[in-house]
Amino acid sequence: MDGSDRARWTVLSGAGVSMSPPVSLLASAEIRSALLETLTEKAAAFAPGAVDEQVRSRIKRAEWRLEYILGRIFRSSAVDLEQGLLSCFRVDIPARSHLMLAAHLSTGALEATLNYDNGIERAYAYLNPRTPIPLEWPEEYQTALKRWRAYLGDVPPLTVVGSRSQFESWRRMPRSPVLFKLHGGLNVRGVSEGMFTDESQLAGLPEERRFVVPLLAAGDPCLVIGYSGDDLDVFEPLMGALRPKAFKWISPNGPPKQTLPYVQSLDETAILHECAEDALERWIPGTPDWPTGDPGKEERKAKFRQWAQSVDDRTAAESLAWMLLDARQYDPAIAILRALQRRRPMARTGHRLGDALYHRYNPGDRTAAAATFLSPIS
């Protein structure tokens, strides 16, 4: 397949392309579990007796999205926690899948990713012969990168679109190759580009990003790689735009059970049980090898746990109380919110305490709620 053929197919990539060594990023479920465990311990210490074993069990079973948990933490904190979190997603040495996706982009192609990490952009930057090869890289990676550069030759400048202003700018003046970061994240320089951090995904993609989905679906074919379909803001419009016989859904275990029926109903033959690298090898044959290096997964886990531990106890308690309130777990939410108000009264925690009391509706709750709201309840 020559460069012009490659440019006609598009890619939507998910977390699966960043999980192989040496990157070894964690699945969102692993990150979510580590965060909830830490938040629970901190909240239990902040409000003794509020988080019993029954509450702990409910929290473990909760299917809260990672972005939702992060949103509650960020909006409960008085300090900037985002950069510390994003450092957990930073890629120093890209994976082979990143290099293969970068090679596809070099033909003038269009790709989109839902990942926060900067693996694809990092790989593309290093494929440019004018970018210095990091001297701190192990020798086998330096040698392998030289082979990749010889394989590709010169590469055109890449446009990375991650923030609202960048989406709006690209739509006014399209240019290729382009990598759309639909959920923002880190750019090639390690700077944040508008991460989603709350339940706004339930309302769908923001207007300035929606145009990307039809562009992806117009690919011949559109490759959906390492994506669970667990992002409602992208999955629903994607299912409406993909064409039977014109896309491939690539994942070692196939789509998860919650998305499998939708993909099967559209085109059952589109499902390929392959890892990202094996699938991409068929579309980009002859790419050089790349060392796998140290898996590094435990190091990634340690980074996320370290970040979670950096969240102060009050922020942890408030964010967990907020999530419990959303889940209508009023008793533990009220116990934590009362502890927060005793330590340092704040308008937002007082308002949430009133909301929890009002909706729990035990004897005397609504009278107590009226005293905590900022304005009388009518």
Side-chain angles (χ1 to χ4, degrees), residues 9-18 97-98 100-101 104 111-115 120 216 221-229 238 242 247-252 270 272 274-281 283-284:
W9 51 273
T10 59
V11 174
L12 173 65
S13 62
V17 303
S18 295
S97 53
H98 293 146
M100 297 175 88
L101 291 171
H104 171 236
E111 293 183 12
T113 185
L114 296 158
N115 298 344
I120 301 172
L216 286 169
C222 172
L223 304 185
V224 182
I225 305 178
Y227 173 49
S228 66
L238 183 67
L242 288 175
F247 76 98
K248 298 295 180 184
W249 196 286
I250 300 163
S251 175
L272 300 179
E274 294 180 301
C275 70
E277 292 178 18
D278 290 344
L280 286 168
E281 184 66 42
W283 271 272
I284 316 176

Side-chain angles (χ1 to χ4, degrees), residues 21-87:
V23 176
S24 302
L25 283 182
L26 306 181
S28 62
E30 294 177 284
I31 303 171
R32 184 178 66 229
S33 177
L35 288 181
L36 284 177
E37 181 181 332
T38 303
L39 291 179
T40 302
E41 293 303 322
K42 286 176 171 282
F46 188 90
V51 185
D52 58 21
E53 288 305 314
Q54 187 178 32
V55 174
R56 289 174 186 269
S57 177
R58 289 173 181 168
I59 292 170
K60 283 184 179 180
R61 296 196 308 270
E63 296 185 359
W64 294 324
R65 292 185 51 78
L66 175 61
E67 292 83 357
Y68 165 76
I69 297 169
L70 294 175
R72 291 301 184 241
I73 295 172
F74 290 158
R75 283 165 173 75
S76 300
S77 177
V79 299
D80 180 15
L81 295 169
E82 186 176 4
Q83 288 307 313
L85 173 66
L86 285 171
S87 69

